[in-house]
Amino acid sequence: MSLKVSLRTKIMVLILSLLVLVIGLLSGVFAYMEKRDVEDQMGQLALQVASTVSFMPSIKEAFETENPSEVIQPIALSVQEESGAEFVVIGNKESIRYAHPDEWKIGRRMVGGDNERALKNGEYYISKAEGTLGPSLRGKAPIIGENGDIIGIVSVGFLLEDVRSIVWNKLENVFGVAVLVLVVGAVGSLLLARSIRKDTLGLEPYEITSFYQTREAILSSIKEGIISIDAAGRVTMINQSAIELLNLSEGAEGRLISEVFPNTQMHKVLETGKATRDEEMILLDKVVIVNRTPIMHEGEVAGVVSSFRDKTEVRNMVQTLSEVKRHSESLRSQTHEHANKMYVLLGLLQLGKHEEAMGMIEEDFHMSQKHQTLIFDRIQDETVQAILTGKMSTASEQKVDFIIQEDSELRRVPRYITRTELITMLGNMIDNAFEAVSGQKEKRVEFFVTDMGHDIVFEVSDNGSGIPEGVYTSLFVRGFSTKEGEHRGYGLHNVREIVERLSGTMEVDNSADGGAVFSIFLPKHTGGGPDEGDDQ
């Protein structure tokens, strides 16, 4: 399990680390430059003092005496004190000391090995060397006699330890400023972390990542189209279902909603802040159900989320549930009819009417055999077989003579026609025919199907009162019905929609003997080659 560090800690560690790194680099550069400048200044001072001493007449005259140290030592100590040098050493041309801060070292040879340039070449220069007092920065100057010969050397030095001390004293001020900058950086990083946490609603980065991954998974699994916009009306999020429903070929995020979804009316919700629920609208020739909800932030509308779904899918779902209910009722009717027949047979047997019982069984068997032959021998599609079998039971319960014409013939229905569509078309047509003959003395409904030629033809006729004049134009209008009652006028409208979606045609007419005839013509092929013969 990985360690989860808070955003505040990350920001503070990052900013303080950067500050320490920058301050360290700047301090190092400053210390290097300051050390070089101090060394240059002290070296020049040492060379200047050494040059001045080398030109003193008293120093040159002392070299002519028997004991030069008596004259030179006091002068060297005085110059050393006035200049602040660590030492002023004067020696002859053999580097034998005539003056030194430690008198007991007078008369001994100068150390460091850096006198040759002054004694042999007469140069004035600055050098670094380690003497008896330690590593030092030295100014070297030759002493020139009256005749122009080099008679001695002056060495004025400052210990490198003193140079470092001076540089360190200057760095102490820099360190004080650095500590102040670190404190300000820590406070600033804390305030920045608080501001970011406020913008992220107190969520840590790993929590935001988890929420984002969960959101993406949810959006991709939702079949409804989801699209959201900000206060400026630009798309901030859209899922794959919305892209497919809107038929978009390129990215929509960042674009104005008026360009992506022209008639969505999400701008109205932006202005009013009021949500709209289950509103129907036309989208690319589709009827969709739309919901719009405002996104509120601190009492202001910050955006809008809209969800929409193709009403056809919702309607198909309702129709499927309706057909399930119809099949359930058919099974109930079949069970009820079977129970009634069993009671009659039981009564005949108890009364000793064996011949009548046998006749009833034979009659029912022959009728069932006839239906079975027509349904299962002439019609090979299982869905159509199931529909007709269920409607036989319904017809028996409603005392309707449901006839399947003997010249009917059907192989497998093409796979581009779904079971739901098939159930909706045939179920509604047959049920409407049953209702049409409900008031007749003799109730007769005929069913015919054939797949000869290029089309599949379904035909349902009845001996009802037929279709009244002036009703043809309104027969397939949604909500229109010639029968009384609520929730009517949807069956034929749904059938017509499915037929048109399957590139078929539908015809309605009155028969010569009275009653109505409904015919559906569906192409066996959809233009992409043969697609029949497969199970649905």
Side-chain angles (χ1 to χ4, degrees):
M1 182 177 179
S2 59
L3 180 63
K4 295 179 179 178
V5 183
S6 67
L7 180 63
R8 178 184 301 177
T9 302
K10 288 181 179 179
I11 292 176
M12 292 189 66
V13 169
L14 176 61
I15 292 179
L16 292 179
S17 298
L18 290 175
L19 287 175
V20 169
L21 178 61
V22 172
I23 291 172
L25 289 175
L26 293 178
S27 298
V29 172
F30 174 79
Y32 171 76
M33 295 178 64
E34 188 66 23
K35 178 176 177 293
R36 189 176 62 180
D37 290 343
V38 171
E39 286 183 353
D40 185 62
Q41 292 173 8
M42 297 185 74
Q44 292 296 328
L45 177 61
L47 180 60
Q48 184 179 359
V49 172
S51 299
T52 301
V53 172
S54 69
F55 285 111
M56 287 181 177
S58 58
I59 296 296
K60 294 181 180 180
E61 292 173 357
F63 271 80
E64 302 297 331
T65 62
E66 293 183 1
N67 189 4
S69 295
E70 291 183 359
V71 177
I72 295 175
Q73 175 70 1
I75 295 175
L77 292 175
S78 175
V79 171
Q80 176 182 328
E81 183 178 354
E82 291 178 2
S83 64
E86 189 66 29
F87 60 84
V88 176
V89 179
I90 301 174
N92 61 16
K93 61 182 180 179
E94 284 82 22
S95 296
I96 300 301
R97 299 186 186 105
Y98 286 164
H100 192 279
D102 298 329
E103 291 186 7
W104 59 274
K105 293 180 181 179
I106 296 174
R108 297 184 179 183
R109 181 176 292 277
M110 298 169 68
V111 298
D114 56 345
N115 292 342
E116 186 174 354
R117 291 170 57 191
L119 293 174
K120 289 186 177 183
N121 301 326
E123 294 182 19
Y124 296 84
Y125 56 92
I126 300 170
S127 69
K128 287 182 181 180
E130 184 171 354
T132 57
L133 297 177
S136 59
L137 188 66
R138 305 174 177 189
K140 299 286 184 175
I143 301 174
I144 310 297
E146 294 296 335
N147 56 2
D149 296 331
I150 299 173
I151 61 175
I153 185 173
V154 179
S155 178
V156 179
F158 293 90
L159 293 179
L160 292 178
E161 183 179 348
D162 295 337
V163 174
R164 297 190 189 97
S165 178
I166 293 172
V167 174
W168 179 256
N169 289 335
K170 291 186 176 182
L171 283 177
E172 286 181 351
N173 296 329
V174 175
F175 290 152
V177 174
V179 172
L180 179 62
V181 171
L182 286 175
V183 172
V184 173
V187 175
S189 62
L190 181 61
L191 295 176
L192 176 63
R194 286 182 177 178
S195 176
I196 294 176
R197 282 181 60 84
K198 181 180 179 181
D199 293 338
T200 58
L201 303 179
L203 297 175
E204 295 294 340
Y206 61 88
E207 294 176 315
I208 296 175
T209 301
S210 176
F211 281 134
Y212 177 79
Q213 293 171 342
T214 303
R215 188 199 75 159
E216 290 300 309
I218 292 173
L219 289 177
S220 62
S221 64
I222 293 177
K223 201 168 184 180
E224 286 190 342
I226 305 292
I227 187 169
S228 66
I229 62 174
D230 58 17
R234 295 190 177 275
V235 177
T236 57
M237 183 275 299
I238 183 170
N239 69 345
Q240 186 61 35
S241 297
I243 292 175
E244 294 174 357
L245 285 171
L246 293 171
N247 196 24
L248 297 175
S249 58
E250 57 182 12
E253 294 188 3
R255 296 169 57 188
L256 291 173
I257 188 63
S258 56
E259 300 175 1
V260 179
F261 196 169
N263 56 340
T264 180
Q265 298 184 13
M266 293 175 73
H267 280 293
K268 186 176 180 181
V269 180
L270 274 178
E271 296 172 359
T272 62
K274 295 181 180 180
T276 57
R277 305 290 183 188
D278 300 328
E279 181 176 314
E280 289 189 15
M281 64 179 297
I282 303 297
L283 173 63
L284 301 177
D285 299 327
K286 298 178 182 177
V287 179
V288 294
I289 300 174
V290 183
N291 293 311
R292 307 180 192 90
T293 304
I295 303 172
M296 307 301 295
H297 179 66
E298 296 181 353
E300 299 291 334
V301 180
V304 178
V305 175
S306 177
S307 65
F308 48 97
R309 186 169 186 175
D310 189 350
K311 188 179 179 182
T312 304
E313 297 181 3
V314 178
R315 184 167 56 243
N316 287 341
M317 186 186 304
V318 174
Q319 290 171 355
T320 301
L321 294 174
S322 177
E323 291 302 322
V324 170
K325 181 179 179 181
R326 290 180 183 177
H327 286 308
S328 175
E329 292 176 350
S330 296
L331 290 174
R332 180 187 60 79
S333 300
Q334 190 173 5
T335 303
H336 184 264
E337 182 185 5
H338 181 72
N340 288 336
K341 290 180 179 180
M342 291 299 101
Y343 288 135
V344 173
L345 285 174
L346 180 61
L348 291 174
L349 292 174
Q350 289 178 343
L351 294 174
K353 305 288 185 178
H354 299 102
E355 291 183 2
E356 287 82 350
M358 289 296 296
M360 180 179 174
I361 293 173
E362 289 179 0
E363 180 183 356
D364 190 61
F365 174 77
H366 289 308
M367 182 63 69
S368 175
Q369 190 68 22
K370 179 181 178 181
H371 290 161
Q372 294 294 326
T373 300
L374 286 172
I375 293 176
F376 294 99
D377 291 351
R378 306 287 293 178
I379 298 173
Q380 299 177 14
D381 188 85
E382 291 89 346
T383 303
V384 178
Q385 291 173 351
I387 294 171
L388 295 178
T389 301
K391 297 306 179 185
M392 283 288 184
S393 300
T394 303
S396 177
E397 183 181 24
Q398 296 181 8
K399 307 304 179 184
V400 176
D401 187 11
F402 185 41
I403 302 170
I404 300 175
Q405 294 186 11
E406 296 183 359
D407 55 348
S408 295
E409 186 173 357
L410 176 66
R411 290 174 292 173
R412 303 285 185 180
V413 170
R415 60 185 177 184
Y416 81 89
I417 304 175
T418 66
R419 283 191 173 89
T420 300
E421 292 169 337
L422 198 58
I423 291 171
T424 300
M425 289 187 294
L426 298 184
N428 278 296
M429 287 174 61
I430 295 173
D431 287 343
N432 280 348
F434 286 172
E435 289 187 16
V437 301
S438 60
Q440 303 296 319
K441 185 176 181 181
E442 293 183 3
K443 304 173 184 179
R444 187 180 74 256
V445 174
E446 296 186 8
F447 175 84
F448 170 75
V449 61
T450 181
D451 58 0
M452 298 294 290
H454 298 292
D455 293 332
I456 299 176
V457 181
F458 296 102
E459 185 175 280
V460 177
S461 60
D462 60 67
N463 66 336
S465 58
I467 300 173
E469 291 291 336
V471 174
Y472 284 96
T473 57
S474 305
L475 194 60
F476 299 103
V477 175
R478 181 173 178 266
F480 175 81
S481 177
T482 58
K483 308 175 184 67
E484 296 182 357
E486 296 182 355
H487 307 295
R488 289 188 174 275
Y490 295 94
L492 291 178
H493 170 76
N494 294 340
V495 173
R496 182 64 172 269
E497 275 195 347
I498 293 172
V499 172
E500 290 178 351
R501 188 165 63 245
L502 298 176
S503 301
T505 57
M506 186 173 182
E507 296 181 359
V508 182
D509 201 357
N510 286 327
S511 64
D513 300 332
V517 180
F518 287 80
S519 302
I520 292 176
F521 302 86
L522 299 176
K524 294 166 67 174
H525 310 301
T526 57
D531 55 357
E532 62 179 333
D534 294 330
D535 289 341
Q536 298 179 48

